[in-house]
Amino acid sequence: MFARNCWYVAAWSHLLPAGTVIGRQILDEPIALYRTESGALVAMEDRCPHRLAPLSLGCVQGEQLQCRYHGLTFDMAGRCIGVPGAEKIPPGTNARTFPVAECDGWIWVWLGAPGAANEALIPRGFDLADRRFTMRYGEISYAADYQLVNDNLCDLSHLDFLHKTTLGGATAGGWSDQPPRVTPLERGVHIERWLKDRPVNPGGTDLTDIWSCYDFSAPGILVMRTTFYPRGAAERCGLAAPPDDLAPLLRRVDQQAVTPTGKKSCTYLFAAGFEGMTPSPVAMERMYKIVMDAFAEDRTMIEAQQRIWDLTPASRRNAFLPSDKAPHLFRKMLARLINQELKVSS
């Protein structure tokens, strides 16, 4: 089951310049995203109502999209406005459109009730085009239920084990020493923790305290700051959130989205980098390699987990650890959103 009354990340904004069209799949729904010649953004079902040819293989003509198979042309509202060889537009030739928005470098699509598509529900993140941030981006496909990826991102204790030589190693571990503070949100969870006496650079002797803080919002959006402070900052802050006037040594930023494409498949879009500084190309490449290596480890584990999950009776209860609080609360919140939609539709 999916929560449909949510904004789902479909693509990176800069990958869809004016006059182009691309195909995406969200919640088992094929979607054609196109940007008109004037720059307007449209999300339309990726099926021509004639013979179901993918409209994402079509071409943008001014403000319209034309099917490449038999030339039917659609306006931005999905209305068919031209059929070659027909004096009148035949009935049943319109294509469904979806609310679409752009925010923080991403294109968002709403597949639920159109009247409920409130852009205020879009979780705010960072933007590749914002000069305050120096970031690298990527995209990975998973053959797994999107909720398994959400679980992974809500519980970073696995960094000590699955990512021992990558992300975990870069911070000298300690993510599993004690559960983080988890605060429920209306449409997500807030997760924060201190990591004390960590090396500034992997294998180095200069130590720092690290403040890790992120929101994980419906349907699966992570916006995270990892801030490095002089050693002793955690104790001076009483292990609480650092004040705004406490100067950091370095601030990492991460922006990630889990978009289900089907019942057991999803796309993972991510960007990672730094705020308020421009690192050297060598430093950026080193950071990005660590991130990509870690995400490859995640995909191998989660796709293997899905295979075991499929072989396990639904009645079997899983063990519950203290670090499972955030994944549990997030799944519970998503189930609430889904149940609310089901009540409205029944």
Side-chain angles (χ1 to χ4, degrees):
M1 296 290 290
F2 303 119
R4 302 189 71 85
N5 284 339
C6 289
W7 289 100
Y8 286 91
V9 176
W12 295 98
S13 292
H14 66 276
L15 298 181
L16 190 65
T20 62
V21 57
I22 59 175
R24 289 293 187 265
Q25 181 172 308
I26 305 175
L27 312 189
D28 281 326
E29 182 70 47
I31 296 172
L33 294 172
Y34 83 90
R35 198 183 299 274
T36 70
E37 295 290 353
S38 67
L41 188 63
V42 181
M44 188 178 294
E45 62 175 325
D46 196 9
R47 52 170 72 88
C48 179
H50 173 220
R51 292 189 186 169
L52 307 186
L55 292 174
S56 60
L57 296 181
C59 55
V60 178
Q61 296 185 338
E63 306 301 288
Q64 289 84 43
L65 180 63
Q66 184 179 68
C67 178
R68 193 179 295 273
Y69 199 12
H70 293 96
L72 278 71
T73 302
F74 304 88
D75 67 11
M76 294 172 58
R79 293 185 294 264
C80 183
I81 59 173
V83 178
E87 295 182 1
K88 295 183 178 180
I89 305 298
T93 53
N94 293 338
R96 181 186 177 190
T97 58
F98 305 91
V100 61
E102 273 186 289
C103 187
D104 295 326
W106 275 336
I107 296 171
W108 305 74
V109 177
W110 179 278
L111 276 77
N118 183 356
E119 291 188 21
L121 295 177
I122 296 177
R124 294 309 306 268
F126 315 114
D127 190 340
L128 299 180
D130 190 325
R131 293 186 177 181
R132 291 176 299 168
F133 309 109
T134 304
M135 306 178 74
R136 293 276 301 274
Y137 71 94
E139 187 173 324
I140 298 174
S141 295
Y142 274 81
D145 187 321
Y146 79 106
Q147 295 216 61
L148 295 180
V149 185
N150 285 350
D151 291 346
N152 172 278
L153 295 173
C154 283
D155 175 17
L156 300 185
S157 66
H158 71 276
L159 266 67
D160 290 345
F161 311 102
L162 184 58
H163 305 317
K164 188 173 183 178
T165 61
T166 53
L167 283 178
T171 55
W175 294 85
S176 62
D177 289 348
Q178 62 182 26
R181 284 189 290 271
V182 179
T183 305
L185 304 175
E186 177 63 23
R187 293 173 68 89
V189 291
H190 176 77
I191 302 169
E192 58 187 31
R193 53 153 58 86
W194 278 101
L195 300 171
K196 297 188 294 183
D197 301 331
R198 296 300 189 272
V200 177
N201 296 304
T205 57
D206 295 332
L207 300 182
T208 181
D209 287 355
I210 302 174
W211 173 249
S212 170
C213 176
Y214 65 101
D215 287 345
F216 197 75
S217 306
I221 310 297
L222 179 147
V223 178
M224 181 178 189
R225 278 184 168 89
T226 305
T227 312
F228 296 72
Y229 291 99
R231 187 183 183 189
E235 294 299 334
R236 289 196 298 273
C237 293
L239 299 180
D244 293 338
D245 60 358
L246 182 60
L249 301 172
L250 176 70
R251 181 171 282 132
R252 266 277 313 273
V253 290
D254 291 87
Q255 175 172 312
Q256 304 170 10
V258 182
T259 299
T261 54
K263 293 182 177 61
K264 294 180 183 178
S265 63
C266 60
T267 300
Y268 178 46
L269 301 96
F270 60 88
F274 300 92
E275 180 180 357
M277 64 174 290
T278 304
S280 68
V282 173
M284 279 297 294
E285 190 60 35
R286 181 168 61 242
M287 179 276 299
Y288 193 68
K289 184 180 187 310
I290 291 174
V291 168
M292 291 302 296
D293 288 347
F295 290 169
E297 293 166 343
D298 279 328
R299 181 169 59 178
T300 297
M301 176 58 73
I302 292 171
E303 290 184 344
Q305 181 189 12
Q306 180 67 66
R307 291 191 290 272
I308 299 302
W309 201 281
D310 291 340
L311 296 172
T312 303
S315 59
R316 176 165 176 166
R317 295 179 62 87
N318 296 338
F320 189 88
L321 305 180
S323 60
D324 290 326
K325 181 179 180 180
H328 170 74
L329 288 176
F330 193 80
R331 280 184 176 249
K332 186 176 180 180
M333 179 276 302
L334 270 184
R336 173 175 56 81
L337 294 181
I338 293 170
N339 288 334
Q340 288 174 349
E341 293 178 19
L342 291 175
K343 287 180 181 179
V344 171
S345 61
S346 62

